[in-house]
Amino acid sequence: MDINRLVELQGALPFRQAVWLFPFATALHFLEEAPHFANWASKYALPSYTRQRWRRIHGLGMVFAIAFCALASIFSNPHVVFFFFALCLSESVLNSLFHVGATAVSGVYCPGLITALVLYPPLFWYLSQLAYREGLLTNTLGLVAFLIAVVIHTVDVATSVFGVKAQLHRHTT
């Protein structure tokens, strides 16, 4: 296998085609998590975390990834690409940080760590480079998308993995 040729071919892909690498990477990540993440989460995060919960969350996540990739592929414009980065791709890099932190804090391998580290950061870099080169994302909008993803991912992990419930306080007068 000629790695230089593989890099050349990937560089030749337009963003609207390369974006389809995201659901593929996500599927591989979910396959790594599937056998043991629910057990890890129920032991180290939320005792009531179940395999059924994992399947529901990740099934919806896969549908979400495919839907956003379809939108970004069909409507490759700065608005759609911004939302793809804010709601999908940037969160995958944050997922890498989650798995690293979860492994470090628990002292036990958090299922999904390997694919989160091996697939998501390079894919984020690659798709970012394509989007910037094609004028679909600017540095400023890329940063804004990432900051939005930080908020969303933090809330998502807090509620879905750790079971944090939002407390809404009503002030009565």
PDB file of all heavy atoms in Angstrom, residues 75-87:
ATOM      1  N   PHE A  75     -25.832  20.249   0.693  1.00  0.00           N
ATOM      2  CA  PHE A  75     -25.850  21.711   0.771  1.00  0.00           C
ATOM      3  C   PHE A  75     -24.518  22.213   1.327  1.00  0.00           C
ATOM      4  O   PHE A  75     -24.454  22.734   2.437  1.00  0.00           O
ATOM      5  CB  PHE A  75     -26.994  22.199   1.657  1.00  0.00           C
ATOM      6  CG  PHE A  75     -28.332  21.688   1.241  1.00  0.00           C
ATOM      7  CD1 PHE A  75     -28.960  20.678   1.964  1.00  0.00           C
ATOM      8  CD2 PHE A  75     -28.967  22.190   0.113  1.00  0.00           C
ATOM      9  CE1 PHE A  75     -30.200  20.193   1.577  1.00  0.00           C
ATOM     10  CE2 PHE A  75     -30.206  21.713  -0.275  1.00  0.00           C
ATOM     11  CZ  PHE A  75     -30.832  20.704   0.453  1.00  0.00           C
ATOM     12  N   SER A  76     -23.458  22.024   0.583  1.00  0.00           N
ATOM     13  CA  SER A  76     -22.123  22.438   1.043  1.00  0.00           C
ATOM     14  C   SER A  76     -21.998  23.951   0.947  1.00  0.00           C
ATOM     15  O   SER A  76     -21.453  24.482  -0.015  1.00  0.00           O
ATOM     16  CB  SER A  76     -21.028  21.755   0.218  1.00  0.00           C
ATOM     17  OG  SER A  76     -20.975  20.397   0.520  1.00  0.00           O
ATOM     18  N   ASN A  77     -22.540  24.616   1.965  1.00  0.00           N
ATOM     19  CA  ASN A  77     -22.414  26.064   2.034  1.00  0.00           C
ATOM     20  C   ASN A  77     -21.962  26.431   3.443  1.00  0.00           C
ATOM     21  O   ASN A  77     -22.049  25.598   4.358  1.00  0.00           O
ATOM     22  CB  ASN A  77     -23.729  26.760   1.638  1.00  0.00           C
ATOM     23  CG  ASN A  77     -24.849  26.496   2.622  1.00  0.00           C
ATOM     24  OD1 ASN A  77     -24.750  26.830   3.799  1.00  0.00           O
ATOM     25  ND2 ASN A  77     -25.932  25.898   2.139  1.00  0.00           N
ATOM     26  N   PRO A  78     -21.472  27.623   3.642  1.00  0.00           N
ATOM     27  CA  PRO A  78     -20.918  27.991   4.950  1.00  0.00           C
ATOM     28  C   PRO A  78     -21.882  27.831   6.122  1.00  0.00           C
ATOM     29  O   PRO A  78     -21.464  27.449   7.220  1.00  0.00           O
ATOM     30  CB  PRO A  78     -20.508  29.456   4.769  1.00  0.00           C
ATOM     31  CG  PRO A  78     -20.189  29.561   3.311  1.00  0.00           C
ATOM     32  CD  PRO A  78     -21.200  28.674   2.638  1.00  0.00           C
ATOM     33  N   HIS A  79     -23.167  28.069   5.914  1.00  0.00           N
ATOM     34  CA  HIS A  79     -24.130  27.961   7.017  1.00  0.00           C
ATOM     35  C   HIS A  79     -24.283  26.510   7.481  1.00  0.00           C
ATOM     36  O   HIS A  79     -24.199  26.209   8.671  1.00  0.00           O
ATOM     37  CB  HIS A  79     -25.492  28.530   6.610  1.00  0.00           C
ATOM     38  CG  HIS A  79     -25.439  29.963   6.203  1.00  0.00           C
ATOM     39  ND1 HIS A  79     -25.191  30.983   7.089  1.00  0.00           N
ATOM     40  CD2 HIS A  79     -25.575  30.536   4.988  1.00  0.00           C
ATOM     41  CE1 HIS A  79     -25.188  32.135   6.450  1.00  0.00           C
ATOM     42  NE2 HIS A  79     -25.403  31.891   5.160  1.00  0.00           N
ATOM     43  N   VAL A  80     -24.488  25.616   6.542  1.00  0.00           N
ATOM     44  CA  VAL A  80     -24.678  24.200   6.874  1.00  0.00           C
ATOM     45  C   VAL A  80     -23.381  23.611   7.440  1.00  0.00           C
ATOM     46  O   VAL A  80     -23.410  22.860   8.419  1.00  0.00           O
ATOM     47  CB  VAL A  80     -25.167  23.410   5.647  1.00  0.00           C
ATOM     48  CG1 VAL A  80     -25.213  21.912   5.941  1.00  0.00           C
ATOM     49  CG2 VAL A  80     -26.538  23.907   5.203  1.00  0.00           C
ATOM     50  N   VAL A  81     -22.255  23.957   6.839  1.00  0.00           N
ATOM     51  CA  VAL A  81     -20.967  23.440   7.316  1.00  0.00           C
ATOM     52  C   VAL A  81     -20.687  23.939   8.736  1.00  0.00           C
ATOM     53  O   VAL A  81     -20.204  23.184   9.582  1.00  0.00           O
ATOM     54  CB  VAL A  81     -19.829  23.795   6.334  1.00  0.00           C
ATOM     55  CG1 VAL A  81     -18.468  23.466   6.916  1.00  0.00           C
ATOM     56  CG2 VAL A  81     -20.044  23.050   5.020  1.00  0.00           C
ATOM     57  N   PHE A  82     -21.025  25.178   9.031  1.00  0.00           N
ATOM     58  CA  PHE A  82     -20.875  25.698  10.388  1.00  0.00           C
ATOM     59  C   PHE A  82     -21.667  24.841  11.377  1.00  0.00           C
ATOM     60  O   PHE A  82     -21.147  24.430  12.425  1.00  0.00           O
ATOM     61  CB  PHE A  82     -21.353  27.161  10.473  1.00  0.00           C
ATOM     62  CG  PHE A  82     -21.449  27.675  11.873  1.00  0.00           C
ATOM     63  CD1 PHE A  82     -20.310  28.092  12.551  1.00  0.00           C
ATOM     64  CD2 PHE A  82     -22.666  27.738  12.523  1.00  0.00           C
ATOM     65  CE1 PHE A  82     -20.383  28.555  13.862  1.00  0.00           C
ATOM     66  CE2 PHE A  82     -22.756  28.200  13.824  1.00  0.00           C
ATOM     67  CZ  PHE A  82     -21.616  28.616  14.491  1.00  0.00           C
ATOM     68  N   PHE A  83     -22.922  24.555  11.055  1.00  0.00           N
ATOM     69  CA  PHE A  83     -23.734  23.731  11.953  1.00  0.00           C
ATOM     70  C   PHE A  83     -23.207  22.305  12.054  1.00  0.00           C
ATOM     71  O   PHE A  83     -23.257  21.686  13.115  1.00  0.00           O
ATOM     72  CB  PHE A  83     -25.212  23.764  11.553  1.00  0.00           C
ATOM     73  CG  PHE A  83     -25.882  25.041  11.942  1.00  0.00           C
ATOM     74  CD1 PHE A  83     -26.271  25.953  10.982  1.00  0.00           C
ATOM     75  CD2 PHE A  83     -26.096  25.350  13.280  1.00  0.00           C
ATOM     76  CE1 PHE A  83     -26.870  27.147  11.351  1.00  0.00           C
ATOM     77  CE2 PHE A  83     -26.688  26.538  13.662  1.00  0.00           C
ATOM     78  CZ  PHE A  83     -27.082  27.447  12.693  1.00  0.00           C
ATOM     79  N   PHE A  84     -22.676  21.768  10.961  1.00  0.00           N
ATOM     80  CA  PHE A  84     -22.061  20.441  11.008  1.00  0.00           C
ATOM     81  C   PHE A  84     -20.891  20.444  11.998  1.00  0.00           C
ATOM     82  O   PHE A  84     -20.753  19.538  12.820  1.00  0.00           O
ATOM     83  CB  PHE A  84     -21.592  20.005   9.618  1.00  0.00           C
ATOM     84  CG  PHE A  84     -20.745  18.765   9.640  1.00  0.00           C
ATOM     85  CD1 PHE A  84     -21.309  17.526   9.899  1.00  0.00           C
ATOM     86  CD2 PHE A  84     -19.374  18.838   9.426  1.00  0.00           C
ATOM     87  CE1 PHE A  84     -20.527  16.376   9.934  1.00  0.00           C
ATOM     88  CE2 PHE A  84     -18.588  17.699   9.455  1.00  0.00           C
ATOM     89  CZ  PHE A  84     -19.163  16.462   9.712  1.00  0.00           C
ATOM     90  N   PHE A  85     -20.063  21.481  11.936  1.00  0.00           N
ATOM     91  CA  PHE A  85     -18.933  21.573  12.859  1.00  0.00           C
ATOM     92  C   PHE A  85     -19.406  21.784  14.287  1.00  0.00           C
ATOM     93  O   PHE A  85     -18.881  21.168  15.221  1.00  0.00           O
ATOM     94  CB  PHE A  85     -17.962  22.686  12.442  1.00  0.00           C
ATOM     95  CG  PHE A  85     -16.920  22.230  11.465  1.00  0.00           C
ATOM     96  CD1 PHE A  85     -17.222  22.089  10.127  1.00  0.00           C
ATOM     97  CD2 PHE A  85     -15.640  21.918  11.887  1.00  0.00           C
ATOM     98  CE1 PHE A  85     -16.269  21.647   9.220  1.00  0.00           C
ATOM     99  CE2 PHE A  85     -14.676  21.470  10.996  1.00  0.00           C
ATOM    100  CZ  PHE A  85     -14.990  21.336   9.658  1.00  0.00           C
ATOM    101  N   ALA A  86     -20.381  22.634  14.500  1.00  0.00           N
ATOM    102  CA  ALA A  86     -20.861  22.952  15.851  1.00  0.00           C
ATOM    103  C   ALA A  86     -21.589  21.782  16.501  1.00  0.00           C
ATOM    104  O   ALA A  86     -21.437  21.542  17.703  1.00  0.00           O
ATOM    105  CB  ALA A  86     -21.772  24.176  15.814  1.00  0.00           C
ATOM    106  N   LEU A  87     -22.371  21.050  15.717  1.00  0.00           N
ATOM    107  CA  LEU A  87     -23.233  20.026  16.296  1.00  0.00           C
ATOM    108  C   LEU A  87     -22.724  18.598  16.138  1.00  0.00           C
ATOM    109  O   LEU A  87     -23.260  17.693  16.785  1.00  0.00           O
ATOM    110  CB  LEU A  87     -24.639  20.139  15.693  1.00  0.00           C
ATOM    111  CG  LEU A  87     -25.315  21.504  15.872  1.00  0.00           C
ATOM    112  CD1 LEU A  87     -26.648  21.536  15.140  1.00  0.00           C
ATOM    113  CD2 LEU A  87     -25.488  21.832  17.338  1.00  0.00           C
TER     114      LEU A  87
END
